[in-house]
Structure formats: structure tokens, C-alpha cells
Coordinates of all heavy atoms in Angstrom, one line a residue:
M1 N 80.3 129.0 121.4 CA 81.5 128.8 120.7 C 82.2 127.6 121.1 O 82.7 126.7 120.4 CB 82.4 130.0 120.9 CG 83.6 130.0 120.1 SD 83.2 130.2 118.4 CE 84.8 130.7 117.7
A2 N 82.2 127.3 122.5 CA 82.8 126.1 123.0 C 82.2 124.9 122.5 O 82.8 123.9 122.2 CB 82.8 126.2 124.6
D3 N 80.8 124.9 122.4 CA 80.0 123.7 121.9 C 80.4 123.5 120.4 O 80.6 122.3 120.1 CB 78.5 124.0 122.0 CG 78.1 123.9 123.4 OD1 78.8 123.3 124.3 OD2 77.0 124.4 123.8
F4 N 80.6 124.6 119.7 CA 80.9 124.4 118.3 C 82.3 123.7 118.1 O 82.5 122.8 117.4 CB 80.9 125.8 117.6 CG 81.4 125.7 116.2 CD1 80.6 125.2 115.2 CD2 82.6 126.1 115.8 CE1 81.0 125.1 113.8 CE2 83.1 126.1 114.5 CZ 82.2 125.5 113.5
R5 N 83.2 124.2 119.0 CA 84.6 123.5 119.0 C 84.5 122.1 119.4 O 85.2 121.3 118.8 CB 85.5 124.4 119.9 CG 85.9 125.7 119.3 CD 87.0 126.3 120.2 NE 87.4 127.6 119.7 CZ 88.1 128.5 120.4 NH1 88.5 128.2 121.5 NH2 88.4 129.6 119.8
A6 N 83.7 121.8 120.3 CA 83.7 120.4 120.8 C 83.0 119.6 119.6 O 83.5 118.5 119.4 CB 82.8 120.3 122.0
L7 N 82.0 120.1 119.0 CA 81.4 119.4 117.9 C 82.4 119.2 116.8 O 82.5 118.1 116.2 CB 80.2 120.2 117.4 CG 79.5 119.6 116.2 CD1 78.9 118.2 116.6 CD2 78.3 120.5 115.8
T8 N 83.1 120.2 116.5 CA 84.1 120.1 115.4 C 85.1 119.1 115.7 O 85.5 118.3 114.9 CB 84.8 121.5 115.2 OG1 83.8 122.4 114.8 CG2 85.8 121.4 114.1
R9 N 85.6 119.0 117.0 CA 86.6 118.0 117.4 C 86.0 116.7 117.3 O 86.7 115.8 116.7 CB 87.0 118.4 118.8 CG 88.3 117.6 119.3 CD 88.8 118.0 120.6 NE 88.9 119.4 120.8 CZ 88.3 120.1 121.9 NH1 87.7 119.5 122.8 NH2 88.5 121.4 121.9
R10 N 84.8 116.5 117.7 CA 84.1 115.2 117.6 C 84.0 114.8 116.1 O 84.2 113.6 115.8 CB 82.8 115.2 118.3 CG 82.9 114.7 119.8 CD 81.5 114.6 120.4 NE 81.4 115.6 121.4 CZ 80.5 116.6 121.4 NH1 79.5 116.6 120.5 NH2 80.4 117.4 122.3
S11 N 83.6 115.8 115.3 CA 83.4 115.4 113.9 C 84.8 115.0 113.3 O 84.8 114.1 112.5 CB 82.9 116.7 113.2 OG 81.6 117.0 113.7
L12 N 85.8 115.7 113.6 CA 87.1 115.4 113.0 C 87.5 114.0 113.5 O 88.0 113.2 112.7 CB 88.2 116.4 113.5 CG 88.1 117.7 112.8 CD1 89.1 118.7 113.4 CD2 88.3 117.6 111.3
I13 N 87.2 113.7 114.8 CA 87.6 112.3 115.2 C 86.8 111.3 114.5 O 87.3 110.2 114.1 CB 87.4 112.2 116.8 CG1 88.5 113.1 117.5 CG2 87.5 110.8 117.3 CD1 88.3 113.3 118.9
S14 N 85.5 111.6 114.3 CA 84.6 110.6 113.6 C 85.1 110.4 112.1 O 85.2 109.3 111.6 CB 83.2 111.2 113.6 OG 82.6 111.1 114.8
I15 N 85.4 111.5 111.5 CA 85.9 111.4 110.1 C 87.3 110.6 110.1 O 87.4 109.8 109.2 CB 86.1 112.9 109.5 CG1 84.7 113.5 109.3 CG2 86.9 112.8 108.2 CD1 84.8 115.0 109.0
L16 N 88.1 110.9 111.0 CA 89.4 110.2 111.0 C 89.2 108.7 111.3 O 89.8 107.9 110.6 CB 90.3 110.8 112.1 CG 91.7 110.3 112.2 CD1 92.4 110.6 110.9 CD2 92.4 111.0 113.4
G17 N 88.2 108.4 112.1 CA 87.9 107.0 112.3 C 87.4 106.3 111.1 O 87.7 105.2 110.8
A18 N 86.5 107.0 110.4 CA 86.0 106.4 109.1 C 87.1 106.3 108.1 O 87.1 105.2 107.3 CB 84.9 107.3 108.6
V19 N 88.0 107.2 108.0 CA 89.1 107.1 107.1 C 90.0 105.9 107.4 O 90.4 105.1 106.5 CB 90.0 108.4 107.0 CG1 91.2 108.2 106.3 CG2 89.2 109.5 106.4
V20 N 90.3 105.8 108.7 CA 91.1 104.6 109.1 C 90.4 103.3 108.8 O 91.0 102.3 108.3 CB 91.5 104.7 110.6 CG1 92.1 103.4 111.1 CG2 92.5 105.9 110.8
A21 N 89.1 103.2 109.1 CA 88.3 102.0 108.8 C 88.3 101.7 107.3 O 88.4 100.6 107.0 CB 86.9 102.2 109.3
G22 N 88.2 102.7 106.5 CA 88.2 102.5 105.1 C 89.6 102.0 104.6 O 89.7 101.2 103.7
L23 N 90.7 102.6 105.2 CA 92.0 102.1 104.8 C 92.2 100.7 105.2 O 92.8 99.8 104.4 CB 93.1 103.0 105.4 CG 93.2 104.4 104.8 CD1 94.2 105.2 105.7 CD2 93.7 104.3 103.4
N24 N 91.7 100.3 106.4 CA 91.8 98.9 106.8 C 91.1 97.9 105.8 O 91.5 96.9 105.5 CB 91.3 98.7 108.2 CG 92.2 99.2 109.3 OD1 93.4 99.4 109.0 ND2 91.7 99.6 110.4
A25 N 89.8 98.4 105.4 CA 89.1 97.5 104.5 C 89.8 97.4 103.2 O 89.8 96.3 102.6 CB 87.7 98.2 104.3
T26 N 90.4 98.5 102.7 CA 91.1 98.4 101.4 C 92.3 97.5 101.6 O 92.6 96.7 100.7 CB 91.6 99.8 101.1 OG1 90.5 100.7 101.0 CG2 92.4 99.9 99.8
T27 N 93.0 97.6 102.7 CA 94.2 96.7 102.9 C 93.8 95.3 102.8 O 94.4 94.4 102.3 CB 94.9 97.1 104.2 OG1 95.3 98.4 104.1 CG2 96.1 96.2 104.4
A28 N 92.6 94.9 103.6 CA 92.2 93.6 103.6 C 91.8 93.1 102.3 O 92.0 91.9 101.9 CB 91.0 93.5 104.6
A29 N 91.1 94.0 101.4 CA 90.7 93.6 100.1 C 91.9 93.3 99.2 O 91.7 92.6 98.3 CB 89.8 94.6 99.5
Q30 N 93.0 93.9 99.5 CA 94.2 93.8 98.6 C 95.1 92.7 99.1 O 96.1 92.5 98.5 CB 94.9 95.1 98.5 CG 94.1 96.2 97.7 CD 94.9 97.5 97.8 OE1 95.7 97.8 98.6 NE2 94.5 98.4 96.8
A31 N 94.8 92.0 100.2 CA 95.7 91.0 100.7 C 95.8 89.9 99.7 O 94.8 89.5 99.0 CB 95.1 90.4 102.0
K32 N 97.0 89.4 99.5 CA 97.2 88.4 98.5 C 97.1 86.9 99.1 O 97.3 86.8 100.3 CB 98.7 88.6 97.8 CG 98.8 89.8 97.0 CD 100.2 89.9 96.5 CE 100.3 91.1 95.6 NZ 101.7 91.1 94.9
S33 N 96.8 86.0 98.3 CA 96.8 84.6 98.8 C 98.2 84.1 98.9 O 99.1 84.5 98.2 CB 96.1 83.7 97.7 OG 94.7 84.1 97.6
S34 N 98.4 83.2 99.8 CA 99.7 82.5 99.9 C 99.8 81.5 98.8 O 98.8 81.1 98.2 CB 99.8 81.8 101.2 OG 98.9 80.6 101.3
K35 N 101.0 81.1 98.4 CA 101.2 80.2 97.4 C 100.5 78.8 97.7 O 99.9 78.2 96.8 CB 102.6 79.9 97.2 CG 103.4 81.1 96.5 CD 104.9 80.8 96.3 CE 105.5 81.9 95.6 NZ 107.0 81.8 95.5
A36 N 100.5 78.4 99.0 CA 99.9 77.2 99.4 C 98.4 77.3 99.2 O 97.8 76.3 98.7 CB 100.2 76.9 100.8
A37 N 97.8 78.4 99.6 CA 96.3 78.5 99.4 C 95.9 78.6 98.0 O 94.8 78.2 97.7 CB 95.9 79.8 100.2
A38 N 96.8 79.0 97.2 CA 96.5 79.2 95.7 C 96.9 77.9 95.0 O 96.7 77.8 93.7 CB 97.1 80.4 95.1
N39 N 97.4 76.9 95.7 CA 98.0 75.6 95.0 C 99.0 76.0 94.0 O 99.0 75.4 92.9 CB 96.8 74.8 94.4 CG 96.0 74.2 95.5 OD1 96.3 74.1 96.7 ND2 94.7 73.8 95.1
Y40 N 99.8 76.9 94.3 CA 100.9 77.3 93.3 C 101.8 76.2 93.2 O 102.2 75.5 94.0 CB 101.6 78.6 93.8 CG 102.8 78.9 93.0 CD1 102.6 79.7 91.8 CD2 104.0 78.5 93.3 CE1 103.7 79.9 91.0 CE2 105.1 78.8 92.5 CZ 105.0 79.6 91.3 OH 106.1 79.9 90.6
R41 N 102.3 76.0 91.9 CA 103.4 75.1 91.6 C 104.3 75.7 90.6 O 103.9 76.6 89.9 CB 102.8 73.7 91.1 CG 102.1 73.9 89.8 CD 101.4 72.6 89.4 NE 101.1 72.5 88.0 CZ 100.2 71.7 87.5 NH1 99.6 70.9 88.2 NH2 100.0 71.7 86.2
G42 N 105.5 75.3 90.5 CA 106.5 75.8 89.5 C 106.4 75.3 88.1 O 107.4 75.3 87.4
A43 N 105.3 74.7 87.8 CA 105.1 74.1 86.5 C 103.8 74.5 85.8 O 102.9 74.8 86.5 CB 105.2 72.6 86.5
P44 N 103.7 74.6 84.5 CA 102.5 75.0 83.9 C 101.4 73.9 84.0 O 101.7 72.8 84.4 CB 102.9 75.2 82.4 CG 104.3 74.8 82.2 CD 104.8 74.4 83.5
N45 N 100.2 74.3 83.7 CA 99.0 73.4 83.7 C 98.5 73.4 82.4 O 97.7 74.3 82.0 CB 98.0 73.8 84.8 CG 96.8 72.9 84.9 OD1 96.9 71.7 84.4 ND2 95.7 73.3 85.4
G46 N 98.9 72.5 81.5 CA 98.6 72.5 80.1 C 99.1 73.8 79.5 O 100.2 74.1 79.6
G47 N 98.1 74.5 78.9 CA 98.5 75.8 78.3 C 98.5 77.0 79.2 O 98.8 78.1 78.8
Q48 N 98.1 76.7 80.4 CA 98.1 77.8 81.4 C 99.3 77.9 82.2 O 99.8 76.9 82.7 CB 96.9 77.6 82.4 CG 95.5 77.6 81.7 CD 94.4 77.3 82.7 OE1 94.6 77.0 83.9 NE2 93.2 77.4 82.2
S49 N 99.9 79.1 82.3 CA 101.1 79.4 83.1 C 101.0 80.8 83.5 O 100.2 81.6 83.0 CB 102.3 79.1 82.3 OG 102.5 80.1 81.3
C50 N 101.9 81.2 84.5 CA 101.9 82.6 85.0 C 102.2 83.5 83.8 O 101.6 84.6 83.7 CB 103.0 82.7 86.0 SG 102.6 81.8 87.5
A51 N 103.0 83.1 82.8 CA 103.4 83.9 81.7 C 102.2 84.4 80.9 O 102.2 85.5 80.3 CB 104.4 83.2 80.8
N52 N 101.2 83.6 80.8 CA 99.9 84.0 80.1 C 98.7 84.2 81.0 O 97.6 84.2 80.5 CB 99.6 83.0 78.9 CG 99.3 81.7 79.4 OD1 99.0 81.4 80.6 ND2 99.4 80.7 78.5
C53 N 99.0 84.6 82.2 CA 98.0 84.9 83.2 C 97.9 86.4 83.3 O 98.9 87.1 83.3 CB 98.3 84.3 84.6 SG 97.2 84.8 85.9
S54 N 96.7 86.9 83.4 CA 96.4 88.4 83.5 C 97.0 89.0 84.8 O 97.2 90.2 84.8 CB 95.0 88.7 83.3 OG 94.2 88.2 84.4
Y55 N 97.2 88.2 85.8 CA 97.7 88.7 87.1 C 99.2 88.8 87.1 O 99.8 89.3 88.0 CB 97.3 87.9 88.2 CG 95.8 87.8 88.4 CD1 95.0 86.5 88.2 CD2 95.0 88.9 88.6 CE1 93.7 86.5 88.3 CE2 93.6 88.8 88.7 CZ 93.0 87.7 88.6 OH 91.6 87.6 88.7
F56 N 99.9 88.2 86.2 CA 101.3 88.1 86.1 C 101.9 89.5 85.7 O 101.5 90.1 84.7 CB 101.8 87.0 85.2 CG 103.3 86.8 85.2 CD1 104.0 86.4 86.3 CD2 104.0 87.1 84.0 CE1 105.4 86.2 86.3 CE2 105.4 86.9 84.0 CZ 106.1 86.4 85.1
Y57 N 103.0 89.9 86.4 CA 103.8 91.0 85.9 C 105.3 90.7 86.0 O 105.7 90.3 87.1 CB 103.4 92.3 86.6 CG 103.4 92.4 88.1 CD1 104.5 92.8 88.8 CD2 102.3 92.1 88.8 CE1 104.6 92.8 90.1 CE2 102.3 92.2 90.2 CZ 103.4 92.5 90.9 OH 103.4 92.5 92.2
P58 N 105.9 90.7 84.8 CA 107.3 90.3 84.8 C 108.2 91.1 85.7 O 107.9 92.3 85.9 CB 107.6 90.5 83.3 CG 106.4 90.5 82.6 CD 105.4 91.1 83.6
P59 N 109.3 90.6 86.2 CA 109.8 89.2 85.8 C 109.2 88.1 86.7 O 109.2 87.0 86.3 CB 111.3 89.3 86.0 CG 111.5 90.3 87.1 CD 110.3 91.3 86.9
S60 N 108.7 88.5 87.9 CA 108.2 87.4 88.8 C 107.2 87.8 89.8 O 107.0 87.3 90.9 CB 109.4 86.9 89.7 OG 110.0 87.9 90.4
G61 N 106.3 88.8 89.4 CA 105.3 89.3 90.2 C 103.9 88.8 89.9 O 103.6 88.4 88.8
C62 N 103.1 88.7 90.9 CA 101.7 88.3 90.7 C 100.8 89.2 91.5 O 101.1 89.5 92.7 CB 101.5 86.8 91.2 SG 99.8 86.3 91.2
G63 N 99.7 89.6 90.9 CA 98.8 90.5 91.6 C 97.9 89.9 92.6 O 97.3 90.7 93.5
V64 N 97.8 88.7 92.7 CA 96.9 88.0 93.7 C 97.6 87.0 94.5 O 97.0 86.4 95.5 CB 95.7 87.4 93.0 CG1 94.8 88.5 92.4 CG2 96.1 86.3 91.9
V65 N 98.8 86.5 94.2 CA 99.5 85.5 95.0 C 100.9 86.2 95.6 O 101.5 86.9 94.8 CB 99.9 84.3 94.2 CG1 100.8 83.3 95.0 CG2 98.6 83.6 93.8
S66 N 101.1 86.0 96.8 CA 102.3 86.7 97.5 C 103.6 86.0 97.1 O 103.6 84.8 96.8 CB 102.1 86.7 99.0 OG 102.1 85.4 99.5
G67 N 104.6 86.8 97.1 CA 106.0 86.3 96.8 C 106.3 86.2 95.3 O 105.4 86.4 94.5
P68 N 107.5 85.9 95.0 CA 107.9 85.8 93.6 C 107.3 84.5 93.0 O 107.2 83.5 93.7 CB 109.4 85.7 93.6 CG 109.8 85.3 94.9 CD 108.7 85.8 95.9
V69 N 106.9 84.6 91.8 CA 106.4 83.4 91.0 C 107.2 83.3 89.7 O 107.8 84.2 89.3 CB 104.9 83.5 90.7 CG1 104.1 83.6 92.0 CG2 104.6 84.7 89.8
S70 N 107.2 82.1 89.2 CA 107.9 81.8 88.0 C 107.0 82.0 86.8 O 105.8 81.7 86.8 CB 108.4 80.3 88.0 OG 108.9 80.0 86.7
A71 N 107.5 82.5 85.7 CA 106.7 82.7 84.5 C 106.2 81.3 84.0 O 105.1 81.2 83.4 CB 107.6 83.3 83.3
R72 N 106.9 80.2 84.4 CA 106.5 78.8 84.0 C 105.6 78.2 85.0 O 105.2 77.0 85.0 CB 107.7 78.0 83.8 CG 108.5 78.3 82.5 CD 109.6 77.4 82.2 NE 109.2 76.0 82.3 CZ 108.5 75.3 81.4 NH1 108.1 75.9 80.3 NH2 108.3 74.0 81.6
G73 N 105.3 79.0 86.2 CA 104.5 78.4 87.2 C 103.0 78.5 86.9 O 102.6 78.9 85.8
W74 N 102.2 78.1 87.9 CA 100.8 78.1 87.7 C 100.1 78.0 89.1 O 100.7 77.4 90.0 CB 100.3 76.9 86.8 CG 98.8 76.8 86.6 CD1 98.0 77.4 85.7 CD2 97.9 76.0 87.5 NE1 96.7 77.0 85.9 CE2 96.6 76.2 87.0 CE3 98.1 75.2 88.6 CZ2 95.5 75.6 87.5 CZ3 96.9 74.6 89.2 CH2 95.7 74.8 88.6
C75 N 98.9 78.5 89.2 CA 98.1 78.3 90.4 C 96.6 78.2 90.0 O 96.2 78.6 88.9 CB 98.4 79.3 91.5 SG 97.4 80.8 91.3
K76 N 95.8 77.9 91.0 CA 94.3 77.7 90.7 C 93.6 79.1 90.5 O 92.5 79.1 90.1 CB 93.6 76.9 91.8 CG 93.6 77.7 93.1 CD 92.8 76.8 94.2 CE 92.7 77.6 95.5 NZ 92.0 76.8 96.5
L77 N 94.3 80.2 90.7 CA 93.7 81.5 90.5 C 94.0 82.0 89.1 O 93.7 83.2 88.8 CB 94.3 82.5 91.6 CG 94.0 82.1 93.0 CD1 94.6 83.1 94.0 CD2 92.5 82.0 93.3
W78 N 94.6 81.2 88.3 CA 95.0 81.6 86.9 C 93.8 82.3 86.3 O 92.6 81.7 86.4 CB 95.5 80.4 86.1 CG 95.9 80.7 84.7 CD1 97.2 81.0 84.4 CD2 95.0 80.8 83.6 NE1 97.2 81.3 82.9 CE2 95.9 81.2 82.5 CE3 93.7 80.7 83.3 CZ2 95.4 81.4 81.2 CZ3 93.2 80.8 82.0 CH2 94.1 81.2 81.0
G79 N 94.1 83.3 85.6 CA 92.9 84.0 84.9 C 93.4 85.0 83.9 O 94.6 85.4 83.8
Ligands
SF4_1 S1 97.4 84.1 89.6 FE1 98.5 82.2 89.7 S2 98.8 81.6 87.6 FE2 98.4 83.8 87.6 S3 100.4 84.9 87.8 FE3 99.6 84.6 89.8 S4 100.5 82.6 90.5 FE4 100.7 82.7 88.3

């Protein structure tokens, strides 16, 4: 019985470790680029702007670049 409890405790610790590692990987995958790294600017690039980018969510959000962005802005991650 004592061995079973020890095994269970070790199993729980292993599972908890795997969950924490998975959360860390998810957080890293969801990290956004800085504006500088994305070459963000507050002006459109031809017909491309945040307003018509699939990553833009009004009024000033971006799914891949951190911080507020302008609907009239643009960066190299436009898509
Ligand atoms: S990816 Fe770039 S262009 Fe698209 S919304 Fe974000 S900052 Fe604007």
C-alpha cells in the first residue's frame, strides 16, 4: 500500500510537471511580436493596413503584435 501511494504521488508530480510544461509552451507560442520586430508603422502600405488585416480586432487590437495599433497602421506581418 505504501508503494502504491508513493507511485501515485510520483505520478501526480509527473503529470503536474507535464501540464506546467505544456502551459509554458502554449504561452511561448502565443507571445506577440513587438512593434519594432514587426516593422510596425502608423501608416498604410499601399492597400494594406491594419483595418483590412485578418489579425486586426477593433478598435486597436492585433493578434500578433503587442500593444495598441492603429486601423491605418501596417506591419510586415500583415495577412
Ligand atoms: S499584423 Fe500588422 S498589419 Fe496586421 S493588424 Fe497587426 S499590426 Fe496591423
Side-chain angles (χ1 to χ4, degrees):
M1 188 67 161
D3 287 342
F4 177 74
R5 285 185 181 170
L7 178 61
T8 300
R9 196 175 307 130
R10 267 186 249 122
S11 298
L12 286 174
I13 290 170
S14 295
I15 291 169
L16 189 59
V19 168
V20 169
L23 289 174
N24 285 340
T26 300
T27 300
Q30 292 177 341
K32 293 182 179 182
S33 295
S34 68
K35 287 180 179 176
N39 289 346
Y40 173 81
R41 65 188 201 195
N45 182 18
Q48 298 178 352
S49 68
C50 294
N52 61 20
C53 174
S54 63
Y55 299 118
F56 183 67
Y57 52 91
S60 57
C62 174
V64 294
V65 173
S66 61
V69 298
S70 167
R72 290 187 43 78
W74 176 88
C75 84
K76 69 179 183 181
L77 301 176
W78 182 93

